[in-house]
Amino acid sequence: MHWLSRIHYHSFTSPLHGWLMWWRHSCTQLFVGGLSYDTNETILKDAFEKYGEVIEAVKVICDRVSGKSKGYGFVNYTAEQAAIKALNEMNGQLLDGRNIRLHRADGCRREQKSEKSLEIKEAEGKENISSCDHD
């Protein structure tokens, strides 16, 4: 028996494995831009649930100081197929009186910045943004 056949791959955790798991999850996340300032997380979730199971991590991003929506948010699906269907069918559609724009979140777009630069950018802007508390 070859020594490689004795390794339990399901229990093997490497940096690459961690990155692949993060990448797979982020392919189920959509960026939603062009939101009305009145759109809250309940409205966003209700609009996207018809395409598949939405994870509770639906977020409308708001300014921490004023509490007003910044006009964008994120929707997370449990399955990549649901995210693709929502992306194809909701992009450019009206939601709360505004045409919304959808993109896959950063992890699925090769031309976008690396995860590390996104973490730095998020850390720099964390004091000015938060999730909206109004529903």
Side-chain angles (χ1 to χ4, degrees):
M1 178 182 269
H2 194 273
W3 68 273
L4 281 175
S5 64
R6 286 183 250 145
I7 295 175
H8 296 283
Y9 290 103
H10 66 276
S11 63
F12 181 68
T13 56
S14 70
L16 178 59
H17 175 28
W19 182 84
L20 287 172
M21 293 307 290
W22 172 84
W23 181 81
R24 186 184 179 324
H25 171 71
S26 66
C27 288
T28 62
Q29 184 180 50
L30 298 177
F31 166 85
V32 185
L35 292 175
S36 164
Y37 296 120
D38 297 325
T39 302
N40 60 35
E41 292 169 358
T42 303
I43 293 170
L44 192 59
K45 184 177 180 184
D46 290 346
F48 282 85
E49 277 183 323
K50 60 185 165 189
Y51 300 103
E53 185 180 351
V54 175
I55 298 172
E56 288 299 317
V58 174
K59 294 286 179 200
V60 173
I61 306 302
C62 293
D63 184 82
R64 187 172 296 219
V65 176
S66 69
K68 293 182 180 181
S69 170
K70 289 186 167 260
Y72 68 94
F74 296 91
V75 176
N76 293 296
Y77 284 96
T78 57
E80 186 175 5
Q81 294 82 4
I84 292 169
K85 186 175 181 181
L87 176 68
N88 291 334
E89 294 187 23
M90 287 292 289
N91 192 31
Q93 298 300 311
L94 276 176
L95 179 64
D96 259 2
R98 300 270 318 256
N99 288 326
I100 58 172
R101 300 177 320 276
L102 286 121
H103 302 282
R104 284 185 160 199
D106 294 331
C108 290
R109 299 184 59 182
R110 291 182 185 172
E111 68 272 13
Q112 291 192 347
K113 298 176 183 172
S114 70
E115 180 182 359
K116 192 69 169 172
S117 65
L118 287 172
E119 288 172 0
I120 292 168
K121 201 173 192 181
E122 286 177 2
E124 291 172 348
K126 255 202 176 42
E127 66 275 357
N128 293 328
I129 62 169
S130 67
S131 175
C132 296
D133 290 330
H134 66 333
D135 275 7

